[in-house]
Amino acid sequence: MTDLVTLENPDGPIAHLRLNRPEKKNAVTLDMLDVLAATVASLSDRPELRAVILSGTGGDFCAGLDTATFLEIAGQIDAIKAQILTPDDDGANRFQRPAKALIDLPVPVIAVIDGVCFGAGMQLALAADFRIAARSARLSIMEGKWGLIPDMGITMTLPQLMPADQAKRLIMSAEIFSSEGAFAAGLVTELADDPHSAAADLAAALALRSPDAIRAAKALVDRVWRDPSCDGLKLEAVLQAEILGAPNQVETVMAQIQNRAPKYL
């Protein structure tokens, strides 16, 4: 059987993580969610890893939850409800785990959005640090079409990107919008004629920076943007103190002075 998720170059510097059901526009199944969560978690402690590019095979990012999975869920509604209401130790349930794992990765995640990016796919894309979309891509927070709400970690991502009234409209209406509309709303970082190449360029540029600084920058922004009560000044100080004078920071300075490429640990 074809792998539901493929992973190339997991040890870095740049890993390629792909949803792999092209015949179904990469629509996700329950098994696929489990595999994705485990695969992402396997990347959490890779010292040479600098960035992860998340995409779908076959010209689409993800069409959302496979409609056949709705029938599977209907046949075991009580068991599924129990899974929804039983989070693991970090607070995420089975459906939230893939997005939470992407968010928790210490390195930047770049989502490449082409074709369709609906429902569950949209929530996975929102869990990335950057979203680069094809100009022809179509996006939707589509759960409302099925009488549901988005529940795959969207509360950790969407509040950072748009005001509550705009979020309510997209969630309640389940409307399909263009990549230009997504960019205007702040849901997409960049539009590109070739989003795969643009993502590769961004990942390569980030890989040239000190990995300590990149990881600390992600931690700084994520913690402060998600938790307004966080003491940002203290966090800045703690993270900076960890970096300052460390080997990679010293190497960055020396490489700049000597006009050469840095060699990081």
Side-chain angles (χ1 to χ4, degrees):
M1 185 179 71
T2 303
D3 292 337
L4 298 174
V5 174
T6 65
L7 177 62
E8 295 179 13
N9 210 30
D11 291 316
I14 300 168
H16 291 266
L17 179 63
R18 296 183 181 93
L19 308 177
N20 191 39
R21 296 185 74 217
E23 74 284 358
K24 294 290 187 179
K25 297 185 183 295
N26 300 312
V28 299
T29 63
L30 298 183
D31 287 343
M32 191 174 180
L33 289 175
D34 294 341
V35 171
L36 179 59
T39 304
V40 175
S42 75
L43 296 172
S44 62
D45 189 22
R46 307 267 181 162
E48 301 298 322
L49 189 62
R50 301 290 182 259
V52 176
I53 296 177
L54 173 66
S55 63
T57 58
D60 289 284
F61 183 73
C62 176
L65 195 66
D66 192 318
T67 51
T69 300
F70 283 115
L71 299 178
E72 180 183 351
I73 289 173
Q76 48 179 322
I77 247 333
D78 290 338
I80 293 297
K81 284 184 177 181
Q83 291 174 15
I84 290 174
L85 294 172
T86 308
D88 56 23
D89 291 341
D90 69 354
N93 64 31
R94 182 183 187 184
F95 299 89
Q96 297 161 342
R97 203 167 292 130
K100 180 70 161 50
L102 287 167
I103 292 167
D104 287 346
L105 278 180
V107 299
V109 178
I110 306 166
V112 177
I113 301 174
D114 49 6
V116 297
C117 180
F118 295 161
M122 186 68 184
Q123 294 186 76
L124 292 173
L126 289 172
D129 299 283
F130 308 99
R131 285 157 295 283
I132 301 179
R135 298 182 189 279
S136 58
R138 296 179 297 144
L139 304 91
S140 176
I141 302 173
M142 193 170 273
E143 283 76 8
K145 177 181 177 181
W146 305 102
L148 299 168
I149 60 168
D151 67 334
M152 289 177 54
I154 199 168
T155 53
M156 297 186 69
T157 58
L158 199 57
Q160 300 179 69
L161 300 173
M162 63 170 32
D165 59 338
Q166 294 184 34
K168 288 175 185 176
R169 176 172 176 169
L170 292 182
I171 292 171
M172 293 175 182
S173 70
E175 67 180 277
I176 297 173
F177 46 95
S178 67
S179 58
E180 288 84 357
F183 179 74
L187 296 176
V188 166
T189 311
E190 178 183 339
L191 300 178
D193 294 325
D194 185 345
H196 293 271
S197 292
D201 289 345
L202 175 57
L206 295 176
L208 294 175
R209 300 296 182 188
S210 167
D212 297 347
I214 291 292
R215 290 173 181 235
K218 176 169 177 170
L220 176 67
V221 172
D222 282 352
R223 288 177 61 182
V224 173
W225 264 247
R226 272 192 202 106
D227 182 8
S229 67
C230 173
D231 187 341
L233 294 177
K234 181 178 180 180
L235 182 60
E236 289 176 23
V238 169
L239 293 173
Q240 191 76 304
E242 292 175 353
I243 295 171
L244 187 63
N248 282 336
Q249 195 268 324
V250 173
E251 171 62 10
T252 301
V253 174
M254 295 305 297
Q256 291 286 343
I257 293 173
Q258 296 170 6
N259 194 27
R260 59 171 173 80
K263 296 179 181 180
Y264 293 121
L265 299 178

